[in-house]
Amino acid sequence: MQPPIIGDRVRLESHPNARNCAIATLSLLPGSTVVVVPSLANVLLPLEKGHRCDFCFQVSDAQRKLRKCTGCASYWYCSVECQSLQWKNHHRKICKNYSLFTSSSSFQTLQSHEKLDALLLAHLLAQESVPDPSLPQDNSLAISTFLSLLPGPQTLDGLKIPLPNLKPAIPPEIASLVYARFSNNNFAIHSHLTTVGHGIFPLASRLFNHSCYPNAAPKYLFTPTGVVMEVVALRQIRQGEEICIPYLDPAMLQTRHQIFEFTYGFKCTCSSCVEIETFNIPPPPDDPDELSAISKYLRAFVGLEGKLSDLPEKPRGTIPQQLHCVFHETYLSNLSEVFSKASHESQYELAIEAGVTLLGAYILIYPPNYPQIGVHLLELAKTTWNMFVILETNRLDTAPASKENARAFLNMSRNVLMTFGKEGDDGGPLSELETLQSLLES
Ligand SMILES: [Zn+2]
Ligand SMILES: [Zn+2]
Ligand SMILES: [Zn+2]
C-alpha cells in the first residue's frame, strides 16, 4: 500500500506499540509548521450556527454579514464563494431534506454529541463517494486515508445514527465503516481555546500519536478555502524524533485515562502518564493553611517566588510528594476559580497569588509554549495592570513594581503566544497583547 502524501517535514514509520508514528525528517524550531491538513468534513456546534459561516467558520461582523440558505434556512454563509463551495461539496444533496432529517424522531432522540456526529456523517457521505474497502485504495484521497484509520473501540450495534436521504442511497454497512472511525478520530475545532465545531482531518489522524506532554499541537485556521489544521512544533524537535500531539487537554489529569480506554482504546504511556502513575494522586487538603503551604511550596519549586523576568521551565527530576495533590483536577479548578473571582472583585493580591500558583501548576502539566500557558499569562498581565492602576491612583509607592510585573507577564505571554502563532478568529489574545502593550508604554 502506498503511503499517504504528507509533506517534507514528517514521514510515517513503524512503531513498536502503535500502528505507526510520525517522524521529523528535519530539525524543527519552536513555532514551525509540521504539516497543514485541510478538513475532509466539519460541522459547527449548534451554538455557533448563524453566528459563523458554515463553510469557512469565520465569525460574522459588520463587514462580514451572513446570508441564510434560502432552501433550508439552516445554513449560513459569509460569501457567495463559501456558499457555492459548500453547495458543490455536500449541501446540494442535503438542503432539500435537511429539515425532514433533523426533525425525524431518530435524530431528535440522539444525545447532543450524537446529533453532531449525525450531521458530520451526513456532510461526509453527501460529499464523498466512499470507495469499496475490499478493493486497493488510492491513498492520495483523504477519504481512503480516513478509512485506513483504526475504528474506535465501541462496536457499532446497528447504526443508531440516522442517515440522510441521499441519491444514490448509502449502504448502511458503508456508513457504519465511516461512523466507526468518528469517536476516536474527530477533532474539536477551536478558536482561542474555545471549541466551535468538530471536524475530521484524516492525515493528522493517520500521522500523529497522542502524548499528554506533546512536542507539537494543532491549531485551526479559518480560510476562504475552508477550515485548515496546522500542526505547530511547541519546542525544538530533533531530526528523527517522533512528533506527537495531544488528543485531549493535558490538564484532564484523572479523567483522561478513562477517555483513552473507552474512546480511543489505548493506555497512554507518555512521560506525563508514567510520572503521574506513581503518584496515587491525593485530593488537596481542606485546611486553608495546609493548602496555602502547598501552593507556596509549588511556587518555590517551579521558581516563581520573587521577581520574575523569564518564564521558568519545568524543573528536572522527580516531583516531591508534597506536590502530588497539585495533579488532582480539583486543585486546578479551585485555583482557577479563585483567580477569576478575585480578579473580577478587584481583590488583586489574592488574584495574583492564585494566578501565579496556577501558572506553577501549568508549568508542571503543560509542555513549553502550550497556548493555555500563554493565555493564562495574559490574564495575569491584565490583572497586574489593573492592580497597578489602583495603586497609582492612590499614589502608593508599590505601583512601579506592579507595573514591572505586568510587563514581565506580558512579555512571557507574548513569547508563548507568538510561538504558537495566529489561529482561529481575528482578534483574541494576540491583539489583547498589543492593547496592553500600548497601555504599558503610555
Ligand atoms: Zn465563509
Ligand atoms: Zn440549504
Ligand atoms: Zn499520557
Side-chain angles (χ1 to χ4, degrees):
M1 191 164 96
Q2 75 217 76
I5 294 165
I6 294 171
D8 58 354
R9 298 182 169 190
V10 63
R11 66 167 185 270
L12 264 185
E13 277 193 7
S14 56
H15 185 278
N17 306 322
R19 189 175 171 206
N20 288 116
C21 61
I23 298 291
T25 55
L26 61 156
S27 171
L28 295 168
L29 291 173
S32 42
T33 304
V34 176
V35 69
V36 173
V37 185
S39 67
L40 176 61
N42 54 49
V43 61
L44 280 176
L45 293 190
L47 263 177
E48 301 288 339
K49 290 286 275 183
H51 172 55
R52 292 176 183 275
C53 175
D54 271 281
F55 177 73
C56 72
F57 278 30
Q58 293 197 80
V59 159
S60 82
D61 56 25
Q63 283 81 44
R64 199 184 294 118
K65 293 257 190 308
L66 299 182
R67 292 172 243 225
K68 205 184 322 192
C69 170
T70 49
C72 61
S74 298
Y75 282 68
W76 284 261
Y77 300 101
C78 73
S79 68
V80 177
E81 290 77 17
C82 283
Q83 179 159 23
S84 107
L85 284 166
Q86 180 115 305
W87 182 259
K88 280 189 210 128
N89 279 353
H90 58 68
H91 197 60
R92 69 198 154 92
K93 294 198 185 167
I94 295 175
C95 184
K96 212 169 126 209
N97 294 316
Y98 184 83
S99 70
L100 209 63
F101 177 58
T102 53
S103 59
S104 67
S105 64
S106 54
F107 184 89
Q108 284 301 324
T109 50
L110 298 175
Q111 293 181 23
S112 55
H113 73 275
E114 293 170 331
K115 283 182 180 162
L116 214 56
D117 275 355
L119 290 170
L120 189 59
L121 187 65
H123 289 174
L124 184 62
L125 294 177
Q127 175 181 308
E128 297 291 325
S129 48
V130 180
D132 183 339
S134 63
L135 298 175
Q137 300 289 307
D138 172 3
N139 274 314
S140 64
L141 298 176
I143 183 69
S144 296
T145 304
F146 188 66
L147 289 175
S148 78
L149 302 173
L150 299 174
Q154 289 110 328
T155 52
L156 203 67
D157 198 6
L159 196 64
K160 217 166 44 136
I161 302 288
L163 293 174
N165 186 10
L166 297 173
K167 288 194 184 82
I170 305 284
E173 61 277 15
I174 294 287
S176 263
L177 280 176
V178 174
Y179 180 68
R181 281 153 181 82
F182 268 26
S183 63
N184 55 339
N185 291 298
N186 281 3
F187 287 88
I189 297 170
H190 46 77
S191 165
H192 316 322
L193 308 184
T194 302
T195 300
V196 300
H198 284 187
I200 44 183
F201 299 83
L203 185 57
S205 298
R206 187 74 182 83
L207 280 172
F208 300 107
N209 290 324
H210 162 83
S211 168
C212 308
Y213 200 76
N215 53 9
K219 66 177 181 181
Y220 299 90
L221 307 173
F222 306 151
T223 79
T225 53
V227 179
V228 166
M229 175 200 283
E230 182 182 339
V231 176
V232 179
L234 294 172
R235 58 164 172 79
Q236 175 149 22
I237 299 176
R238 297 182 315 275
Q239 183 181 4
E241 191 180 341
E242 181 178 3
I243 303 175
C244 292
I245 62 171
Y247 294 175
L248 294 176
D249 181 349
M252 295 171 75
L253 290 152
Q254 287 151 309
T255 38
R256 69 191 187 198
H257 301 291
Q258 285 94 25
I259 300 177
F260 292 142
E261 189 179 340
F262 296 115
T263 307
Y264 294 94
F266 69 85
K267 182 178 186 314
C268 187
T269 54
C270 77
S271 60
S272 164
C273 285
V274 167
E275 182 176 46
I276 292 173
E277 201 175 37
T278 61
F279 289 179
N280 195 14
I281 305 170
D286 293 326
D287 179 64
D289 291 337
E290 271 182 66
L291 196 60
S292 150
I294 286 168
S295 294
K296 191 169 166 37
Y297 186 33
L298 168 63
R299 294 192 299 271
F301 178 71
V302 176
L304 289 169
E305 289 283 44
K307 195 172 177 316
L308 291 172
S309 52
D310 295 314
L311 187 64
E313 286 178 16
K314 180 181 178 180
R316 290 177 190 277
T318 47
I319 290 170
Q321 197 183 352
Q322 296 95 305
L323 295 182
H324 289 180
C325 70
V326 167
F327 293 81
H328 201 279
E329 283 174 19
T330 57
Y331 181 80
L332 294 178
S333 56
N334 290 345
L335 265 182
S336 168
E337 202 182 307
V338 172
F339 174 56
S340 54
K341 188 162 178 279
S343 299
H344 282 119
E345 292 171 355
S346 310
Q347 298 183 55
Y348 295 120
E349 275 181 44
L350 176 64
I352 291 165
E353 187 180 291
V356 172
T357 311
L358 187 59
L359 176 63
Y362 281 178
I363 290 171
L364 296 186
I365 293 161
Y366 287 119
N369 296 316
Y370 206 72
Q372 265 83 348
I373 297 181
V375 169
H376 180 60
L377 280 162
L378 178 62
E379 291 306 313
L380 265 170
K382 287 195 261 181
T383 302
T384 317
W385 166 262
N386 291 338
M387 179 170 166
F388 158 72
V389 172
I390 299 288
L391 294 175
E392 200 191 41
T393 312
N394 292 302
R395 299 181 182 285
L396 293 174
D397 54 10
T398 45
S402 190
K403 191 173 185 181
E404 272 317 295
N405 283 340
R407 204 186 302 274
F409 288 132
L410 189 74
N411 288 339
M412 291 185 243
S413 173
R414 172 178 293 104
N415 289 341
V416 174
L417 293 173
M418 296 290 267
T419 301
F420 197 60
K422 192 174 160 4
E423 48 85 29
D425 299 324
D426 293 340
L430 287 177
S431 45
E432 287 177 38
L433 271 176
E434 295 321 314
T435 310
L436 189 52
Q437 180 72 47
S438 52
L439 286 172
L440 274 162
E441 281 164 7
S442 63

